[in-house]
Amino acid sequence: MAKVRVERPLVEMEGDEMAQVMWAWVRDRLVLPFVDVGLVRFDLSIGHRARTDDRVTLDAASAARRHGVSLKCSTITPDRTRQRELGLARALPSPNGTLRAALDGVIFREPIICRNVARLVPHWAQPVVIARHAFGEQYRAQELAVPGPGTVRLVFDGADGSESRELYRFDGPGVALALFNIDASIRGFARACLHYGLQRRMPVYFSHKATVLKQYDGRFVDLFAEEFEAFAPAFAEAGLVYAPRLIDDMAAFSVKSTGGYLWACKNYDGDVQADYMAQGYGSPGLMTSVLMSPDGRLVQTETAHGTVRRHYDRWRAGAPVLANPLATIHAWSRALWHRARLDGTPDVAHFAETLERAAADLVDEGVLTPDLAPLAATRRTPVDTAGFIDAVAARLAGALR
C-alpha cells in the first residue's frame, strides 16, 4: 500500500508521562505506517525544558511559525510540589502559555462525538466549538491584598496626560484585582473566530457582560462588530450568522440547544466553559484542541487532557494502559487536516478523516477502553489502550486499500 505523501513537514512537540507514551504509539502505529510526512521534532518534556532553561519551547514556537502547522503532546507545568519532586531549579512556566503568546493564537476546543458514548446532555447531537481568547484577564492580572483601611485607585499614566479613578474605599482588609486587554489582541481573537466559523460552517456567538462592564466588555463587542464587516458577505453566502449575546443568555441557550455553533469566550470564561462542555458531552478525554492564528495560517493541535500521570504510574509498574487515546489520535488527524487545507492536498485530508472515522466506528461498535465503557450503551469486553490502537490500525489499513 503506497503511503500518502504530505508536501510540507509538521512540527512535532513531544511531552510527558503517559500522554507521551500514547503519543508515540499513535504516531508510530497509526500515522507513519500510512503517511510519508516530515517531522521537525522538539522535546518539550520537563527534563529537557529544564536542561535548556526553556529555550527549547521558544525554538519550537519559532519552527511552528515557520512551517505553519504544529502539534503538541501534553506537558508538565510544575507547581512547587512537582518542582521539588522533579528536582527543578525553578518552576518552569507553562509551555502552552509560551506557545500561545508566541503564535498569537486562539484556542478552539471541540468534543469528539461518538454515538455509543452517552452524553450528560442527551440532546447535544452536534458539537459546540468553544473559542477561548488566550490573552490577558485573570491569567495576567495584578492582584493586591489590602491590609487595612485605604483607597485603591486605577491609574493611567499616558504620554498625553494621566487619569485616576477610585476603585474602592476600604474600611478594613480586603482584596483587589486589575484586569487588562488590548485592541490588537481582541481584533485578532475576533478574526480567528470568524475564520474558524467559516471553515467549520458554524454560526458564531460572542458572549459578554457589556451591560455591566460597559467599557471593558463593550470594547470586545465593538471590535467584534468592526471585524465582522469584512466577513459579512462570506457569512451571508454560507447561510451563517454572527451575533454578540449576553453570557447569561448564552449559558441558557447552550443548555437548550442541540449544538452546532461556535461560542467565542473571553479568556477565563473559555477556560470554564470548555470544561463544562467536555463533561456535558461525556468525557474530558473526548475533546480536540486547536490553536489558530487570527489569519488562519498558523495552526497547532494539542491533546486536550493532561499528562495522565495515574495511568503512567500503572504503566511503569508493568500494568496495561487503560486510557482512551482518542484525543491523541485527533491531535494528529487535525494537524494533517490543516496541513492539507493549507497545502491544497485532498488526499491528505481524506486520510485524516478516514483515521478519525476508523476510531469512532470502533467506539460505536463497542470496542472501548475501560474509561469509556461505563458511558457506552453497547460494549464488548474492554480493551487496553494498545489494543484499541492496534484495532484502529487494522480498520484503517482495510479502509485505505
Side-chain angles (χ1 to χ4, degrees):
M1 179 170 52
K3 290 186 178 183
V4 177
R5 187 169 185 277
V6 181
E7 297 293 333
R8 298 166 62 195
L10 301 174
V11 175
E12 178 192 358
M13 304 179 195
E14 298 178 294
D16 287 297
E17 299 184 328
M18 198 65 238
Q20 174 56 31
V21 176
M22 292 195 297
W23 183 270
W25 288 350
V26 169
R27 178 193 63 212
D28 297 341
R29 301 183 195 181
L30 299 182
V31 177
L32 296 184
F34 304 98
V35 176
D36 179 10
V37 57
L39 297 174
V40 182
R41 289 180 175 171
F42 292 88
D43 180 1
L44 296 194
S45 65
I46 188 69
H48 192 61
R49 281 186 283 133
R51 286 190 293 273
T52 64
D53 197 28
D54 215 28
R55 179 69 216 178
V56 65
T57 307
L58 297 176
D59 291 342
S62 177
R65 287 195 301 270
R66 187 165 62 253
H67 293 287
V69 179
S70 58
L71 63 166
K72 179 187 171 294
C73 182
S74 300
T75 46
I76 295 171
T77 299
D79 57 15
R80 290 179 181 175
T81 301
R82 294 227 71 183
Q83 179 186 355
R84 291 192 296 270
E85 175 191 325
L86 297 166
L88 303 175
R90 68 184 181 100
L92 295 167
S94 163
N96 289 343
T98 301
L99 290 164
R100 289 165 191 164
L103 300 179
D104 187 27
V106 174
I107 304 161
F108 298 91
R109 291 279 178 92
E110 179 180 346
I112 301 166
I113 295 182
C114 299
R115 293 188 305 274
N116 193 30
V117 176
R119 292 180 285 278
L120 291 180
V121 185
H123 57 269
W124 283 358
Q126 302 175 75
V128 173
V129 175
I130 299 291
R132 174 186 167 195
H133 186 207
F135 183 83
E137 309 213 353
Q138 280 89 334
Y139 302 90
R140 294 183 65 180
Q142 291 295 318
E143 53 185 338
L144 176 69
V146 178
T151 301
V152 173
R153 296 180 179 278
L154 196 61
V155 178
F156 170 69
D157 290 325
D160 299 324
S162 300
E163 183 178 349
S164 175
R165 186 168 301 174
E166 182 179 304
L167 177 65
Y168 190 74
R169 191 184 302 272
F170 287 81
D171 295 327
V175 289
L177 179 72
L179 308 181
F180 72 93
N181 230 295
I182 59 174
D183 282 8
S185 184
I186 298 169
R187 288 186 183 279
F189 174 43
R191 288 196 298 273
C193 292
L194 296 167
H195 274 299
Y196 207 89
L198 279 175
Q199 285 179 22
R200 297 304 312 279
R201 292 295 188 263
M202 287 182 167
V204 175
Y205 303 109
F206 168 64
S207 62
H208 64 90
K209 196 66 173 177
T211 50
V212 175
L213 300 173
K214 293 180 172 58
Q215 293 188 57
Y216 193 97
D217 279 27
R219 190 64 174 162
F220 276 80
V221 172
D222 291 346
L223 295 181
F224 258 80
E226 290 178 14
E227 293 299 324
F228 179 65
E229 290 179 7
F231 289 83
F235 266 65
E237 183 179 350
L240 302 173
V241 298
Y242 159 72
R245 302 180 74 154
L246 283 171
I247 194 165
D248 321 56
D249 172 53
M250 194 66 210
F253 168 75
S254 73
V255 174
K256 295 183 291 185
S257 78
T258 59
Y261 57 89
L262 186 149
W263 181 352
C265 299
K266 291 159 54 192
N267 202 345
Y268 181 70
D269 292 345
D271 200 359
V272 173
Q273 299 302 340
D275 288 344
Y276 149 73
M277 284 288 181
Q279 293 293 348
Y281 276 99
S283 169
L286 293 176
M287 289 289 282
T288 67
S289 183
V290 175
L291 180 74
M292 193 174 79
S293 64
D295 62 3
R297 303 297 298 176
L298 293 177
V299 173
Q300 178 174 287
T301 64
E302 307 167 348
T303 45
H305 52 67
T307 60
V308 208
R309 185 182 182 185
R310 177 171 57 88
H311 291 273
Y312 185 58
D313 291 341
R314 283 176 46 84
W315 178 72
R316 288 198 298 177
V321 182
L322 305 178
N324 91 78
L326 286 167
T328 304
I329 291 171
H330 278 71
W332 282 92
S333 64
R334 294 293 163 94
L336 288 166
W337 187 88
H338 282 286
R339 180 81 281 165
R341 176 179 65 86
L342 294 174
D343 297 349
T345 50
D347 54 335
V348 178
H350 173 71
F351 170 81
E353 292 161 1
T354 304
L355 172 57
E356 291 185 8
R357 189 166 57 251
D361 285 350
L362 283 169
V363 171
D364 289 340
E365 292 167 13
V367 181
L368 303 153
T369 49
D371 60 328
L372 291 183
L375 301 172
T378 301
R379 57 180 179 268
R380 306 177 190 173
T381 302
V383 297
D384 63 14
T385 307
F388 182 83
I389 290 173
D390 287 342
V392 176
R395 180 68 59 94
L396 184 59
L400 293 173
R401 284 197 182 98

